[in-house]
Amino acid sequence: MILITAIDDTYGMMFNHRRQSQDRVLRQRILHLTAGHTLWMNAYSARQFAKDSAPNIRVSEAFLDEADTGEYCFVENLAVLPYEAKIEKIILYHWNRTYPGDFSFDIPLEEHGWKPIQTSDFPGSSHERITEEILCKP
């Protein structure tokens, strides 16, 4: 699976059972990136994409178990460390700011051998700069 998530500067993802932030341009970028491929997510995340008609979105509460090789998984509110062995690539979207957070991305990237292979910045609709970082294991 190819994991996609958005994080703040401290790897925070959620605060008080809510996503820290969201961005219309980022959603469109994710849909463009995953076009023609399955994009898995849970019902919580699917609400964020409700206005975007995308036939490739699959919604399941067990999507991290169901996702197969080469399929994308957008994660906002789940621990992913238990699924690390299934992950082929990680795509992180950095908000480039620090939000209050009480739930964080749980894979220790450097310690587990994940290396950045590509980084680029783009302007979002609600964030001046969003950084896309793609990581793989050598």
Side-chain angles (χ1 to χ4, degrees):
M1 82 174 81
I2 302 164
L3 188 75
I4 302 171
T5 195
I7 59 173
D8 74 359
D9 290 345
T10 62
Y11 287 77
M13 297 166 62
M14 304 278 294
F15 177 65
N16 200 23
H17 307 288
R18 297 180 315 179
R19 69 182 57 89
Q20 291 177 327
S21 190
Q22 62 180 308
D23 186 277
R24 176 182 43 82
V25 171
L26 175 56
R27 282 194 303 275
Q28 291 301 315
R29 189 175 183 103
I30 290 169
L31 291 175
H32 178 75
L33 171 73
T34 62
H37 303 277
T38 301
L39 172 58
W40 289 96
M41 62 186 70
N42 60 17
Y44 176 79
S45 294
R47 288 193 304 265
Q48 185 179 165
F49 288 83
K51 293 180 184 174
D52 305 302
S53 178
N56 61 321
I57 293 177
R58 301 288 179 267
V59 179
S60 170
E61 296 311 306
F63 73 98
L64 291 170
D65 293 310
E66 297 173 35
D68 205 355
T69 303
E71 295 181 329
Y72 291 86
C73 293
F74 181 64
V75 177
E76 294 185 280
N77 60 349
L78 299 171
V80 293
L81 183 59
Y83 300 92
E84 186 176 12
K86 284 182 68 173
I87 300 171
E88 307 155 60
K89 185 184 330 182
I90 298 173
I91 304 171
L92 295 178
Y93 289 101
H94 297 266
W95 295 128
N96 295 308
R97 61 180 70 160
T98 301
Y99 288 110
D102 56 16
F103 182 80
S104 297
F105 186 76
D106 61 343
I107 296 175
L109 297 169
E110 190 173 321
E111 181 181 321
H112 285 203
W114 291 94
K115 304 285 185 208
I117 59 167
Q118 184 178 339
T119 303
S120 60
D121 293 333
F122 61 95
S125 60
S126 61
H127 293 75
E128 187 174 304
R129 177 177 58 101
I130 299 171
T131 300
E132 177 184 75
E133 180 180 31
I134 302 173
L135 302 104
C136 289
K137 282 191 173 183

